[in-house]
Amino acid sequence: MAEAVDAARTVILTVDDDPAVSRAVARDLRRRYGDRYRVVRAESGESALEALRELKLRGSHVAVLLADYRMPRMNGVEFLEQALDLFPGARRVLLTAYADTGAAIDAINVVDLDHYLLKPWAPPEEKLYPVVDDLLESWRVTDGKETPTTKVVGHRWSARSSQIREFLARNQVPYRWYSSDEPEGRRLLHAAGQDGLRLPLVVTPDGTALVEPEERELAGRVGLSTTPAADFYDLVIVGGGPAGLGSAVYGASEGLRTVLVEREAIGGQAGQSSRIENYLGFPDGVSGAQLTDRARRQAVKFGAELLTARQVTALEVRGAARVLRFSDGSEVSAHCVILATGVSYRQLDVPGVTELTGRGVYYGSALTEAPACQGQDVYIAGGANSAGQAAMFLARGAKSVTLVVRGSSPAASMSHYLLQRVMESPVISVRTDTVVEAVHGTEHLEKLTLRNTVSGETEIVEAQWMFVFIGAAPLTDWLDGTVLRDPHGSVLTGPDLSPDGRPPAGWTLDRPPYHLETSVPGVFAAGDVRAESAKRVASAVGEGAMAVMLVHRYLEQS
């Protein structure tokens, strides 16, 4: 059943088959929005669709749809998919339990899901209202009209198509994926005057067709900032992971003119995590995408600029200025710099990997590729937290997930709570003392050669999907000759610069380097890129905040 509708006001519709939950959602929505919006409550997908049809006939507007995922006969995703035909501009929210977050992430591409909320949403002032406020504002800006969506046409086993999809997904740009051999994909290719030989094709919201676009061009076309608004800042942050975002929030909130520069996607590796469960204040866990989105919005609220798809290639000291040079030759300068570039996934160096990367072999793309792994046998190379989180996420839909671990046990590198869940999963198996010796395939991955490091025996297994998490290394070659690094490339800071008590070579100040300061005064490092860092999200955020405190101290004494 559904409550009677009223066409006089724009509608917020909620549907949940549990009457108590349905009433609770409607009650909380009416308390906040009842004076401006008509809140309509339904207890099944069918009755909700009937209400929407009546609203459509009356000429009403629907701003937001909130649907529970687990409903009999028609689940929340199926309801939202049909509701799209009636009110394509309505913002869409899925209410889920923790166990259903995988389905919610999959729904992002199925129904252009705007948000998913974990139940319970109490207190609504913190968990429900901020989300609905943002969605209503977004709906008002577009006058309730359908928001144009980026469209990507490519080949399923094209490495470049995979890279473009991952770039959009990690930057939280909504897009629709079309295979080049399906009718809609062929229609888009024809409309763009393309024969499909050059892929991917990206059609931006304004209708521009881009063939094999570079990330920076694509970023600018889909609304991401790529160019700094000024030439000089108080603080430039290089890297958009937890440490960089922490620095951006604290720098901008404390009055520093702040710009953050990210090479790939805001959020860094943490933004790709399907579930972070040991971060303070999130007892039910939080996805990397959710944490990243909140931090990004927080930084922007305080006035920080966030630039995407800009690669920094050099750091120079010019008097009191610290100058960063981009790959295109342009520059940006600041009083201080915080290096928060984190680390990048270490590449698997075995025969066949280079040719099949993006065509069955992936680094950190479990979220993007998960829908295609439904009912498949998946292999994951690695035994640390990133591998364990990916295994748990993929296990929700895959037929089987096999962790290939070099050591005798993943216990040495995987958090205890996560290892327990991995070992308890009926879908996940762990092969210890094993490495990937080679990968095989023509157009895509077909087989793996696995070698037991104890017996030396090898085995060839069928495989179409392998995700690689075999460690990470800092990408700091661009700092060569400027700041001191350890043999692994990590940036040395504070006491690690002068273990014998003497200042580092070239140090010109009459004080020792601050705790997070590099061998160049006014240049700081935070997070995973820093030598001897804790390699945890919480510590990276803390170091980002601490670095800003030291920036203030440096500026006061300069």
Side-chain angles (χ1 to χ4, degrees):
M1 70 94 176
E3 296 178 349
V5 297
D6 176 4
R9 283 178 288 175
T10 298
V11 171
I12 299 173
L13 183 141
T14 173
V15 52
D16 195 305
D17 68 300
D18 185 326
V21 175
S22 178
R23 286 192 295 270
V25 178
R27 178 199 64 219
D28 287 342
L29 290 172
R30 286 177 181 136
R31 188 172 63 186
R32 174 91 166 197
Y33 309 104
D35 60 334
R36 292 161 289 155
Y37 296 88
R38 170 70 176 174
V39 176
V40 175
R41 178 173 69 89
E43 294 182 3
S44 71
E46 294 86 347
S47 62
L49 288 173
E50 183 181 345
L52 289 177
R53 294 187 191 101
E54 184 179 344
L55 288 165
K56 190 74 172 180
L57 290 173
R58 293 185 179 186
S60 299
H61 296 288
V62 177
V64 177
L65 301 167
L66 295 96
D68 182 62
Y69 174 66
R70 291 197 179 189
M71 293 189 293
R73 296 188 302 276
M74 180 187 297
N75 67 36
V77 175
E78 293 167 341
F79 161 72
L80 291 173
E81 195 167 13
Q82 294 191 45
L84 273 172
D85 295 332
L86 295 166
F87 290 95
R91 301 301 183 257
R92 295 166 287 281
V93 180
L94 198 64
L95 297 174
T96 69
Y98 170 72
D100 300 323
T101 53
I105 293 171
D106 295 345
I108 291 173
N109 282 328
V110 176
V111 293
D112 288 341
L113 193 68
D114 293 290
H115 204 92
Y116 67 89
L117 285 171
L118 290 177
K119 297 188 294 186
W121 59 89
E125 290 77 11
E126 294 180 12
K127 296 186 178 181
L128 177 64
Y129 297 153
V131 172
V132 178
D133 285 346
D134 286 348
L135 296 178
L136 288 172
E137 177 60 27
S138 172
W139 185 85
R140 282 193 295 269
V141 167
T142 58
D143 294 326
K145 298 176 182 177
E146 182 177 4
T147 303
T149 302
T150 298
K151 301 178 179 66
V152 182
V153 182
H155 190 275
R156 177 71 198 86
W157 299 113
S158 160
R160 187 58 185 155
S161 295
S162 176
Q163 291 167 359
I164 291 296
R165 293 171 62 203
E166 185 175 353
F167 176 81
L168 293 172
R170 291 184 61 193
N171 282 288
Q172 300 183 30
V173 176
Y175 72 92
R176 282 188 175 276
W177 162 257
Y178 301 95
S179 175
S180 56
D181 57 7
E182 66 177 89
E184 183 63 16
R186 290 195 295 268
R187 188 190 69 79
L188 288 169
L189 287 170
H190 178 72
Q194 298 296 316
D195 54 12
L197 296 178
R198 296 177 60 204
L199 293 172
L201 167 73
V202 180
V203 182
T204 63
D206 63 2
T208 302
L210 307 174
V211 180
E212 298 179 314
E214 295 298 322
E215 275 81 356
R216 185 182 175 190
E217 177 188 14
L218 179 58
R221 292 288 189 174
V222 297
L224 300 175
S225 297
T226 60
T227 304
D231 296 325
F232 196 91
Y233 293 82
D234 294 319
L235 174 63
V236 175
I237 303 159
V238 186
L245 285 168
S247 296
V249 168
Y250 281 93
S253 67
E254 295 175 10
L256 297 177
R257 292 172 297 168
T258 302
V259 61
L260 181 151
V261 182
E262 166 56 41
R263 182 170 62 100
E264 294 179 349
I266 301 298
Q269 280 193 22
Q272 296 177 277
S273 176
S274 57
R275 181 65 39 182
I276 302 170
E277 295 194 72
N278 56 355
Y279 188 70
L280 184 67
F282 292 89
D284 298 321
V286 61
S287 73
Q290 285 177 307
L291 190 63
T292 294
D293 181 59
R294 294 177 182 183
R296 177 190 59 78
R297 289 189 284 123
Q298 197 172 12
V300 171
K301 179 186 75 172
F302 288 124
E305 289 180 44
L306 306 182
L307 309 183
T308 307
R310 295 304 303 267
Q311 184 169 0
V312 179
T313 58
L315 167 66
E316 299 177 12
V317 177
R318 297 179 190 168
R322 306 295 179 258
V323 182
L324 293 166
R325 188 164 64 246
F326 295 118
S327 57
D328 64 356
S330 61
E331 298 177 342
V332 64
S333 303
H335 291 300
C336 291
V337 171
I338 294 178
L339 304 173
T341 50
V343 291
S344 295
Y345 290 112
R346 184 172 287 116
Q347 304 295 293
L348 182 64
D349 186 17
V350 299
V353 162
T354 301
E355 295 81 4
L356 295 175
T357 296
R359 298 191 290 157
V361 177
Y362 302 95
Y363 294 89
S365 344
L367 289 177
T368 308
E369 299 297 331
C373 296
Q374 296 289 314
Q376 304 288 315
D377 296 313
V378 178
Y379 284 80
I380 297 176
N385 278 1
S386 295
Q389 289 166 351
M392 291 299 299
F393 179 71
L394 291 167
R396 295 170 181 165
K399 179 182 177 183
S400 70
V401 177
T402 303
L403 273 171
V404 180
V405 181
R406 175 184 291 271
S408 58
S409 169
S413 53
M414 190 179 297
S415 295
H416 178 68
Y417 82 91
L418 184 57
L419 179 59
Q420 281 187 312
R421 293 186 180 178
V422 166
M423 301 307 291
E424 291 170 358
S425 172
V427 177
I428 302 173
S429 60
V430 181
R431 295 185 59 154
T432 57
D433 298 317
T434 305
V435 295
V436 178
E437 185 103 310
V439 302
H440 314 275
T442 51
E443 289 189 357
H444 58 82
L445 177 66
E446 297 172 1
K447 297 179 181 179
L448 300 174
T449 297
L450 305 179
R451 177 173 60 84
N452 186 286
T453 58
V454 176
S455 66
E457 296 179 353
T458 62
E459 177 187 1
I460 296 179
V461 297
E462 302 284 338
Q464 284 193 318
W465 307 92
M466 180 176 71
F467 298 88
V468 182
F469 301 91
I470 56 171
L475 293 178
T476 56
D477 290 346
W478 62 280
L479 293 169
D480 190 30
T482 306
V483 302
L484 294 179
R485 299 171 294 152
D486 70 9
H488 305 290
S490 298
V491 176
L492 295 168
T493 60
D496 294 326
L497 285 165
S498 50
D500 56 2
R502 292 185 296 179
W507 187 259
T508 57
L509 303 182
D510 57 1
R511 61 164 177 83
Y514 295 135
H515 182 65
L516 300 181
E517 196 167 19
T518 70
S519 58
V520 177
V523 177
F524 302 83
D528 289 2
V529 73
R530 191 179 69 82
E532 305 300 326
S533 61
K535 307 299 187 287
R536 289 291 186 269
V537 174
S539 61
V541 173
E543 287 191 6
M546 182 180 178
V548 171
M549 180 191 73
L550 298 176
V551 164
H552 279 291
R553 187 179 299 176
Y554 172 84
L555 293 174
E556 289 167 359
Q557 297 181 0
S558 297

